[in-house]
Amino acid sequence: MVSKDPATNKFLTEHGDGHLTSDHYVIGDIFLYVAYREVSPIAASLAHVPSPTATSIIVAVNKYYIITLIFIVLAVITTSSNHARKADSLSATPLTQSEQSTDQNDFELARQQSFGFFNDIPAYQWKHLHQMFVEHENHRYPEKPFTTHPEAGWEQSDPLVWPYTRRVGSNYKSVQAWYQNVCDPHQIARLARERKQKDPNHPGCVIYSVGSNGDFTFELGMQKEIGEGVCEFHIFDMGDFEGNKPAALKRAHYHRWGFRQHGGSGSAVLKKGDIDVFKSLKDTIKELGHEKLDVIDIFKIDCENCEWETYQDWLSDDIPMLHQILVEVHSAPMTVVLDFFDSIEAAGYLRFHKEPNIQFAPRCIEYGFVKVDKSFLDRKKLNLGQNAAKLSGK
């Protein structure tokens, strides 16, 4: 940009290639300083050019620049405000101002629809999340969901974008169990306290961890997140890892068996030292005396393909609700994978995390799901059964 004014040209020559990167921003800086000296001291907070330079510019400019400045500043403020409002919007169908003012202090909707888990989300934000969920498409090509990479199963993005997801556990201590992503662990601690206040005999919170492979970093990480002794841990594996359980891990119980489908025979590739003992989730819950619990707070499972034959048991009405499901899926079979995800979604689980294990096992993907009431599924087009029909050609 070239100005008729020598002082302005000098300023542009000195600063045009520095922190200012375009003519648009250079003009804006000049005009803001004119406003600072000539129009209003309020504009001073917007300025960042050294004062001596600004003074030389002011001497050089005339009243035309001042009048032009007023219009430019007004335009910039209006444009910035519009961009900010767009950035704050979480959905294609934003709420009206009256709806937001009514809902901003109302946390009951989110609390009810999450079974008491989310107690700090105002209704207007919860409605935005619902709208995002309704509009989200699970497949890039809905009519051909297996296009390109069948193992992926679902689209890359998650319908529930949640800022309080925490990575729990130590990194890289074990390929099998290095860390897990947990939704709002601080809420688990709160719920545990509330349950204990109502019933001192309640375990507080209960966590099932299936397939530890002798690594207890996840459990130690959860204990660090929510407090020592707050949760009761139950760790399952067919290997002889009882002796690996850290003394620092409190209220932890090791169970040496694998998981199978309820009513099934159970099968797995046994490693050296594994025992050939399998139980269903329902039988396990009964054996541990947990059948009267309302909820198991976290069900973490990494069982090397048993997920494809046991997932319907996770969704059964005959067991306590699994509030969060953290699962690693392995080499997704095309005959099962669509029903796997569709069934989980239809049962009221929102996917808050998805992460392929690109370093150690690219065909293995970590998923995190959190349970909500089925009323949250209103207006969502569910594909339960439809994808299976597509697969069979019906």
Side-chain angles (χ1 to χ4, degrees):
M1 185 185 85
V2 179
S3 171
K4 295 180 180 179
D5 178 69
T8 302
N9 277 330
K10 183 176 184 295
F11 173 80
L12 296 176
T13 301
E14 291 177 352
H15 298 279
D17 294 329
H19 68 286
L20 303 174
T21 57
S22 71
D23 292 348
H24 175 78
Y25 293 117
V26 170
I27 294 173
D29 276 11
I30 296 172
F31 285 158
L32 285 174
Y33 257 89
V34 175
Y36 168 61
R37 300 295 186 185
E38 300 289 334
V39 181
S40 170
I42 297 175
S45 61
L46 302 175
H48 56 271
V49 182
S51 181
T53 304
T55 303
S56 65
I57 296 172
I58 292 164
V59 172
V61 297
N62 55 33
K63 297 298 182 182
Y64 168 78
Y65 287 105
I66 298 175
I67 296 171
T68 307
L69 159 71
I70 295 173
F71 287 102
I72 290 179
V73 169
L74 290 175
V76 169
I77 292 174
T78 302
T79 303
S80 300
S81 177
N82 288 338
H83 281 301
R85 282 196 293 269
K86 289 180 180 180
D88 287 339
S89 177
L90 292 178
S91 79
T93 313
L95 298 177
T96 65
Q97 185 174 359
S98 61
E99 286 176 317
Q100 289 200 25
S101 61
T102 302
D103 292 344
Q104 63 184 353
N105 295 316
D106 178 12
F107 303 96
E108 189 61 20
L109 179 63
R111 191 192 67 79
Q112 288 183 351
Q113 290 193 330
S114 66
F115 303 98
F117 189 77
F118 297 117
N119 72 335
D120 53 1
I121 304 179
Y124 79 90
Q125 185 179 357
W126 188 252
K127 291 176 181 178
H128 278 310
L129 290 171
H130 176 255
Q131 186 64 27
M132 291 172 64
F133 173 70
V134 169
E135 295 175 356
H136 181 81
E137 178 56 65
N138 290 329
H139 305 283
R140 177 70 59 87
Y141 306 103
E143 296 303 316
K144 296 181 179 180
F146 287 123
T147 301
T148 308
H149 294 294
E151 297 90 349
W154 274 12
E155 179 57 279
Q156 292 291 334
S157 58
D158 299 321
L160 179 61
V161 181
W162 201 242
Y164 302 121
T165 299
R166 294 279 292 174
R167 285 193 169 186
V168 176
S170 299
N171 287 346
Y172 306 112
K173 283 195 174 183
S174 166
V175 175
Q176 297 285 341
W178 40 324
Y179 62 78
Q180 292 288 332
N181 290 273
V182 179
C183 185
D184 285 24
H186 67 280
Q187 299 287 19
I188 298 176
R190 172 186 60 82
L191 289 171
R193 290 193 300 269
E194 292 175 358
R195 294 164 189 159
K196 278 289 191 182
Q197 289 173 356
K198 292 180 180 178
D199 179 8
N201 295 319
H202 195 285
C205 79
V206 176
I207 295 176
Y208 279 20
S209 182
V210 182
S212 71
N213 197 40
D215 190 304
F216 296 85
T217 52
F218 167 73
E219 293 77 22
L220 287 169
M222 280 301 300
Q223 180 174 268
K224 182 179 179 180
E225 283 285 335
I226 63 180
E228 186 176 293
V230 174
C231 277
E232 184 177 289
F233 296 95
H234 293 270
I235 301 103
F236 305 88
D237 202 288
M238 296 173 291
D240 185 12
F241 301 121
E242 175 75 31
N244 293 30
K245 187 174 64 177
L249 184 59
K250 307 302 181 183
R251 301 181 65 199
H253 309 273
Y254 186 79
H255 311 284
R256 196 177 179 188
W257 64 75
F259 274 57
R260 60 170 172 78
Q261 182 181 14
H262 187 66
S265 58
S267 62
V269 178
L270 301 179
K271 302 187 296 294
K272 184 178 180 179
D274 286 354
I275 61 172
D276 192 7
V277 177
F278 297 89
K279 299 180 183 181
S280 70
L281 177 58
K282 183 176 180 179
D283 292 338
T284 294
I285 289 171
K286 184 177 180 180
E287 182 168 331
L288 299 180
H290 292 157
E291 64 268 35
K292 292 184 179 180
L293 290 177
D294 293 330
V295 62
I296 293 172
D297 295 271
I298 292 179
F299 179 70
K300 180 186 80 73
I301 182 166
D302 181 1
C303 60
E304 307 301 323
N305 288 296
C306 89
E307 64 271 15
W308 306 118
E309 62 181 63
T310 62
Y311 69 92
Q312 290 291 354
D313 292 348
W314 312 344
L315 314 177
S316 172
D317 293 331
D318 297 332
I319 64 170
M321 179 183 70
L322 309 181
H323 217 154
Q324 291 190 49
I325 297 176
L326 313 179
V327 56
E328 181 174 71
V329 299
H330 307 79
S331 303
M334 294 178 64
T335 55
V336 181
V337 62
L338 294 180
D339 187 69
F340 176 90
F341 287 112
D342 292 341
S343 296
I344 289 175
E345 182 175 68
Y349 284 94
L350 303 182
R351 187 173 76 256
F352 68 86
H353 181 75
K354 175 179 181 179
E355 182 177 353
N357 189 346
I358 58 175
Q359 183 172 7
F360 299 110
R363 299 184 71 183
C364 299
I365 305 175
E366 299 275 358
Y367 284 92
F369 301 92
V370 61
K371 174 82 169 179
V372 295
D373 187 79
K374 290 186 179 180
S375 61
F376 191 86
L377 306 183
D378 289 350
R379 298 190 294 117
K380 175 69 172 180
K381 181 182 178 182
L382 300 175
N383 294 316
L384 189 60
Q386 298 177 27
N387 281 319
K390 292 177 185 176
L391 189 60
S392 63
K394 296 180 181 180

